[in-house]
Amino acid sequence: LASFISRLWQIHIFGEGNTRTTAVFFIKYLRSLGFAATNDIFAENAWYFRNALVRANYTDLQKGIHETTEYLEIFLRNLLLEENHPLQNRTLHVSGLWTDEKVYMEEKKVDIQSEKVYFEEKKADIEALPSPKSANFSARTNVHIQRLFHEYGYDGIFGRSAAMDLLGLKSSGTSKLLSNLVQAGIIEPVSGHGKGKYRFVDNR
């Protein structure tokens, strides 16, 4: 089942919402097999499920990274066998797998100036972002704003489905969030990219 769903997700047929579509299909497929599958675990662990799908399809032989379904299998054991394994995103990280530290550090030294420029630009971008506090947003909403901005910046364009996948929110919660951000002047609708697309308002 883990291999089946990871290969299905890998097709990535849609521009947005592939993970959510895969989850809905998988629930219906499991029900056809007699499992009493619900959306609860997918909704509560959307980010883990998405990253587990990535790890099931990602390979970098030079760095010793191989695709693995072990994280999907843990997810499925919780879903189908009612086990209670912790689903923590940090367990999916591939950091620490590089063995040639000397080569890695030399590469970082060569690239240090460009990295410094990059982070200075990101710092300027974040400082230019309209203050969420002015709209009396909650701490959780502030986190959502920063995650969206980190992913898309001022130039990226996103819709509700992309925001749902990124933030792990339900449809209604995402719609409310985007509406509030539009009203606060933090994001704005854009045309020419399909219905319901937004970008951050550039006040730099």
Side-chain angles (χ1 to χ4, degrees), residues 83-152:
E83 296 182 2
N84 192 31
H85 301 284
L87 303 179
Q88 299 173 330
N89 278 297
R90 63 175 178 268
T91 62
L92 282 75
H93 292 176
V94 296
S95 59
L97 297 181
W98 289 266
T99 57
D100 196 341
E101 291 293 334
K102 183 177 180 180
V103 173
Y104 175 73
M105 291 305 296
E106 288 299 321
E107 291 175 349
K108 294 302 291 183
K109 285 172 64 179
V110 171
D111 199 40
I112 189 66
Q113 291 302 322
S114 60
E115 288 291 323
K116 182 178 180 181
V117 171
Y118 170 78
F119 283 113
E120 287 298 324
E121 290 176 348
K122 294 305 291 183
K123 180 180 178 182
D125 285 347
I126 292 173
E127 289 176 347
L129 186 65
S131 174
K133 294 181 180 179
S134 63
N136 296 318
F137 287 138
S138 66
R140 183 181 181 186
T141 299
N142 291 338
V143 172
H144 291 331
I145 294 171
Q146 293 301 326
R147 287 184 67 182
L148 282 170
F149 185 71
H150 178 75
E151 181 73 16
Y152 296 102

Side-chain angles (χ1 to χ4, degrees), residues 23 26-27 30 38-47 49 75 79:
F26 195 39
I27 291 171
L30 290 173
T38 68
N39 184 56
D40 293 345
I41 188 173
F42 293 92
E44 294 169 2
N45 301 279
W47 198 235
F49 179 61
F75 182 89
L79 172 64

